[in-house]
Amino acid sequence: MNKNELKPQCVFEQFARINNIPRPSKHEEKMIEYLKKFGEDLKLETKVDETGNVIIRKPASKGYENRKTLILQSHMDMVCEKLVDKDIDFTKDPIETYVDGEWLRAKGTTLGADDGIGCAIEMAVLADDSLEHGPIECVFTRDEETGLTGADGMGADFMTGDLLINLDSEDEGQFFISCAGGVTTRATFKFAKESAPDGYFFMKLSLQGLHGGHSGDDINKKFANGIKLLTRFIYIISEKYDVRLASFNSGRMHNAIPRDGVVVFAVPNEAKEDVRASLNIFAKDVEDEFHVTEEHIEFKLESTDAEPVMPKAVSRNLIAALQAVDNGPYSMCQDEALAWMVETSSNVASVTTTDDAVNIVASQRSNVMSNLTNMGNTVKAAFELAGAEVTQGDKYPAWKMNPNSALTDIVVETYKKLFNKEPKVIGIHAGLECGLFSEKYPHLDMVSMGPTLRGVHSPDERLLIPTVQMVWDHLLEIMKNIPTK
C-alpha cells in the first residue's frame, strides 16, 4: 500500500493538507485561518469565536431538511512529541508521513491523527455535495490537548444542534458515552544553587527507549514512567550516600507518560563505583519488572563536569516527594458493566530544572468527580509536605452516561447493519471535550467515535488505515438516519 492508495481518498487528501499546517496546542492560528478560508471558499456559513473555535454550517441535502441538526466535532491542535535526534520545528515544519503496511506513521514525530483525522473527516463531509444528510454543524476546537481551553471558552450559543458526534476516539468499533474528568497539579521547588561540593564526583544518568503513551488511555497498560524510574534509582542511592542533585529533566507534555529523561547528580568520590554497580543491579530488576511492555529500556551512566547543585535539603525533599507521589491506576470502576475500566489515576508527567527552581507537572483523572478531588489533594499533599509551592488548574468535568441516548441507538444499529457485528459501547478513562459540552449544553445527546490509533502522544503514534474507511462509511450511514425534528 502506498499513499496514493489510501482510502477514502477524500479524507486522506484533507489529512495530508492538515499535516502541512503547524498546529501545536496554543499555537493554532494558522489552522484557524485555514479552516476559516476553507469554509468561506465553499460558501458556507463560517464563524470563529473569541477563543478561536471554528464552526462551519452546511445546509441539509434535498429531502433531509426536516432532520435534527447534527454536530460533528474534533480538535485542531496536536501533541508535538519527537525522537531525541529528530530535527523539527513544530511551529514551522510539516509532519512527514509514511505508510507502514496497514498503518500510517510519521517520521520521528507524533502523527497528528489525534485529532487531525477527525478534522479531515469533517472537512471531507463539508466538501462533498453528493452526501445525504440533514443540517450539519462542523466544529473545530482549539487547545484540547493542554487544558481543553477551546471547549472551556466556548459560549453556550455557539453550537445549535441537538446531537453531537465527537470524532476524537481511538478504537474503531468502540463508541464512548462517558469520560473521565481531570485536573493538573503543578509543584515548584525554589532554591539558590550552591557551588559544587569538594570531594564529590559528578554523574549523568540517562534513560531512554520507554514506550510512553497517553496518560489516560494507556495508564493501565504497565508502561514504565521515566520520572518514576529515575527517581527510584536516585532514592535508592540517596539512602546510602549524600546525593546532591544538579538537575532533573524528564517528560514534556502534561498528558503523556514520560519515556526518557536525564538526571545530573554528585556523590562522594568513594561512592562512584558502588553507584555504577547499583545501577547494573537496578537496571536488571527493571528489565525483569517490565519485560513484557518495555523491551527497549536503556540506562546510561557517565561522568560529567562539575556544576552548581541544589541545597542538600531540596535534593532530598524533591526525590522523596517524587518517590512518594501516586502514579498509575488508583482504583477501578465500581459499576459492574465498567469494572474493567480505570476509575481514578495519576501520572507524573514532567520535571524540568531551571537555574533556581524545579517544576513538576502531574495530572489526575477520574470518572467520579469526588474521587478526582481526593486524588488531586493526595498528590498536592505529597508535594506540600516536601516544601513545594503547589497550584492546581485546568480542571474539567467528567461526562456522565446518558442511559436514554437516541444517538447511541442510531450509532449501534447502523454499525450492526453495515458490518454485521456488535460494537462496544463503553466509557473511557481520558478527558473528552464532551464533558465540558455536557455542562454548557445539557440537552446534547453525544457519542464519541473514531478510527483506530495507537501510540498517541508519542513518536510511535500510528493510524490503522482500513479503519478510516469503516468510520467514514459508518458516519455517512448515521447521517442518513438522523431523526426528524
Side-chain angles (χ1 to χ4, degrees):
M1 182 183 293
N2 59 51
K3 286 187 178 182
N4 294 327
E5 298 172 332
L6 299 181
K7 295 180 179 180
Q9 186 176 4
C10 59
V11 173
F12 280 102
E13 285 179 351
Q14 298 293 351
F15 185 56
R17 295 183 185 116
I18 289 170
N19 269 348
N20 282 317
I21 304 166
R23 50 196 172 89
S25 300
K26 300 191 185 302
H27 299 281
E28 307 94 340
E29 293 79 9
K30 293 179 181 178
M31 187 64 181
I32 293 169
E33 287 302 312
Y34 180 77
L35 288 168
K36 185 172 181 289
K37 185 176 186 301
F38 180 84
E40 291 173 346
D41 286 349
L42 291 172
K43 302 189 185 314
L44 298 175
E45 180 185 353
T46 303
K47 293 183 179 180
V48 181
D49 70 7
E50 293 181 357
T51 304
N53 303 306
V54 179
I55 188 168
I56 304 174
R57 293 186 171 95
K58 185 179 183 182
S61 58
K62 187 176 180 180
Y64 288 80
E65 294 87 353
N66 66 338
R67 303 298 178 94
K68 289 185 177 181
T69 298
L70 174 65
I71 303 166
L72 303 179
Q73 183 268 322
S74 56
H75 65 84
M76 65 182 82
D77 62 316
M78 65 172 285
V79 169
C80 296
E81 283 279 87
K82 69 181 188 70
L83 297 177
V84 174
D85 58 352
K86 176 66 176 181
D87 184 17
I88 185 172
D89 183 344
F90 284 107
T91 65
K92 298 178 182 178
D93 300 332
I95 302 298
E96 301 176 274
T97 63
Y98 67 98
V99 174
D100 179 15
E102 290 191 318
W103 296 91
L104 186 67
R105 295 175 177 265
K107 296 180 180 179
T109 70
T110 37
L111 175 63
D114 176 16
D115 187 23
I117 196 65
C119 294
I121 290 171
E122 288 189 69
M123 295 169 74
V125 167
L126 291 169
D128 190 343
D129 288 335
S130 70
L131 305 181
E132 299 173 275
H133 56 79
I136 297 284
E137 292 184 344
C138 285
V139 175
F140 307 85
T141 51
R142 73 177 305 176
D143 193 28
E144 187 267 354
E145 299 288 6
T146 59
L148 298 101
T149 58
D152 187 43
M154 182 186 293
D157 58 351
F158 190 62
M159 302 187 295
T160 65
D162 305 296
L163 311 170
L164 184 146
I165 294 178
N166 168 273
L167 293 164
D168 190 24
S169 292
E170 299 161 9
D171 291 277
E172 188 282 322
Q174 296 185 9
F175 306 119
F176 296 94
I177 57 172
S178 71
C179 73
V183 67
T184 300
T185 302
R186 293 177 172 84
T188 300
F189 290 85
K190 295 182 177 179
F191 48 80
K193 280 193 173 181
E194 303 173 348
S195 299
D198 293 334
Y200 277 64
F201 187 81
F202 276 77
M203 312 181 91
K204 181 169 72 173
L205 172 63
S206 303
L207 169 64
Q208 62 182 13
L210 299 182
H211 190 284
H214 190 288
S215 62
D217 199 36
D218 294 327
I219 199 69
N220 63 334
K221 296 179 181 176
K222 192 59 178 179
F223 297 146
N225 180 303
I227 292 170
K228 294 295 283 187
L229 286 187
L230 291 167
T231 298
R232 282 169 59 175
F233 179 70
I234 299 299
Y235 187 87
I236 288 170
I237 61 173
S238 68
E239 290 290 279
K240 298 171 64 176
Y241 305 107
D242 178 29
V243 175
R244 303 295 297 276
L245 290 179
S247 63
F248 193 138
N249 293 285
S250 178
R252 283 164 286 277
M253 302 299 299
H254 82 287
N255 50 8
I257 301 170
R259 65 181 189 278
D260 52 32
V262 177
V263 180
V264 176
F265 64 97
V267 294
N269 283 332
E270 61 272 17
K272 62 182 180 181
E273 294 307 323
D274 187 48
V275 169
R276 295 185 192 278
S278 296
L279 180 62
N280 291 334
I281 296 170
F282 178 76
K284 181 63 169 63
D285 289 343
V286 168
E287 288 173 5
D288 290 342
E289 182 178 337
F290 294 96
H291 70 279
V292 174
T293 57
E294 302 287 3
E295 299 178 350
H296 305 290
I297 299 176
E298 182 181 343
F299 287 99
K300 184 178 182 181
L301 186 63
E302 55 190 326
S303 62
T304 189
D305 295 336
E307 60 180 275
V309 297
M310 303 173 199
K312 183 176 181 179
V314 173
S315 289
R316 179 60 184 169
N317 288 347
L318 171 61
I319 293 302
L322 289 173
Q323 176 70 35
V325 73
D326 272 303
N327 189 85
Y330 179 75
S331 63
M332 307 301 288
C333 286
Q334 297 181 50
D335 293 335
E336 185 175 347
L338 297 175
W340 55 270
M341 189 174 77
V342 176
E343 177 194 86
T344 305
S345 72
S346 184
N347 174 63
V348 185
S350 67
V351 179
T352 55
T353 304
T354 66
D355 289 338
D356 59 1
V358 172
N359 299 292
I360 301 164
V361 176
S363 61
Q364 295 78 58
R365 302 176 189 266
S366 182
N367 290 61
V368 179
M369 293 307 289
S370 61
N371 284 343
L372 175 63
T373 298
N374 179 56
M375 189 77 259
N377 287 343
T378 299
V379 173
K380 182 171 180 277
F383 288 121
E384 285 178 334
L385 286 170
E389 297 178 6
V390 185
T391 60
Q392 291 183 314
D394 301 330
K395 192 171 186 177
Y396 55 91
W399 166 31
K400 294 182 180 179
M401 180 182 69
N402 175 6
N404 302 309
S405 169
L407 181 58
T408 300
D409 291 341
I410 294 168
V411 168
V412 170
E413 290 306 313
T414 51
Y415 188 86
K416 290 192 293 187
K417 176 184 174 182
L418 274 177
F419 304 116
N420 196 30
K421 60 181 180 179
E422 288 281 345
K424 292 182 179 179
V425 179
I426 55 179
I428 186 172
H429 187 67
L432 291 172
E433 290 156 302
C434 296
L436 286 162
F437 297 151
S438 68
E439 285 195 335
K440 297 173 185 291
Y441 304 87
H443 68 283
L444 269 181
D445 191 356
M446 297 182 285
V447 171
S448 180
M449 57 185 276
T452 297
L453 294 170
R454 291 293 180 264
V456 297
H457 297 185
S458 80
D460 192 41
E461 181 185 356
R462 56 202 185 276
L463 169 66
L464 187 56
I465 295 166
T467 64
V468 180
Q469 183 72 63
M470 295 177 73
V471 170
W472 175 252
D473 292 342
H474 186 205
L475 181 60
L476 300 191
E477 192 67 22
I478 292 169
M479 292 192 301
K480 289 189 288 187
N481 284 275
I482 295 300
T484 57
K485 298 177 183 177

